[in-house]
């Protein structure tokens, strides 16, 4: 279990991992810009809770399963790349509200929770945190790591959502919104590349 001396380091690691650009943050920023804070709340809480559940399951044995059957890593990578590229396409081609097309919907709680399982950054963050701060994989240590991530993930997501809402008025013109969504899609693809490198 992480000692009292190690806890600040764990919080620092979790904050840097959660606050830095990645698929989750890019998507909630885009959601904030397109749908506002209130409609993005289920997305935010789905990330926070879903990632915590993922950390617990990884810490209690799922990591060992991937080490025993390396083919699972390949399957997960292919699924992650395919799904994130599809999401990037959906973001880039989302119709502006004024266009009268399908403007889409924000992620639900369950969709955001499930997304953590195909998010390369989430896997990198989770497995690294368990390796560093819960190497013996005890339930208490794993729960502390998961709790630390929940404590810093929700505030950092809030920042990214509000960053999206701050540009919402500027995005009132369809051409600007389309350009913003294309940039968000490209950043999502870029974060996928960086996540796979780790």
């Amino acid at each position: 279990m992480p000692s009292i001396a190690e806890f600040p380091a764990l919080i620092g690691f979790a904050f840097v991992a959660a606050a830095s650009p990645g698929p989750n943050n890019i998507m909630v920023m885009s959601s904030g810009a397109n749908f506002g804070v209130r409609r993005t709340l289920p997305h935010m809480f789905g990330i926070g809770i879903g990632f915590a559940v993922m950390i617990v399951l990884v810490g209690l044995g799922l990591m060992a399963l991937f080490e025993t059957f390396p083919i699972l890593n390949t399957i997960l990578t292919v699924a992650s790349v395919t799904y994130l590229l599809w999401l990037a396409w959906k973001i880039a081609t989302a119709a502006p509200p004024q266009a009268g097309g399908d403007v889409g919907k924000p992620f639900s709680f369950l969709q955001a929770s499930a997304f953590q399982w195909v998010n390369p950054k989430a896997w990198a963050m989770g497995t690294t945190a368990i390796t560093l701060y819960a190497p013996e994989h005890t339930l208490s240590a794993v729960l502390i790591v998961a709790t630390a991530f929940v404590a810093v993930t929700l505030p950092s997501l809030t920042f990214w959502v509000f960053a999206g809402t701050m540009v919402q008025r500027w995005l009132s013109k369809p051409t600007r919104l389309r350009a913003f969504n294309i940039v968000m899609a490209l950043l999502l693809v870029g974060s996928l590349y960086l996540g796979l490198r780790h």
Side-chain angles (χ1 to χ4, degrees), residues 60-85:
L60 295 181
L62 199 57
M63 194 184 322
L65 185 64
F66 277 81
E67 291 171 354
T68 304
F69 302 101
I71 187 65
L72 294 177
N73 288 304
T74 303
I75 294 171
L76 178 64
T77 299
V78 171
S80 299
V81 170
T82 303
Y83 187 64
L84 280 172
L85 289 177

Side-chain angles (χ1 to χ4, degrees), residues 123-167:
W123 277 99
M125 287 165 35
T127 54
T128 301
I130 293 298
T131 301
L132 292 176
Y133 299 102
E136 295 180 359
H137 301 263
T138 62
L139 178 61
S140 57
V142 169
L143 289 176
I144 287 174
V145 172
T147 302
F149 269 93
V150 170
V152 299
T153 296
L154 293 176
S156 70
L157 288 172
T158 301
F159 167 81
W160 283 91
V161 173
F162 274 101
T165 61
M166 289 179 69
V167 298

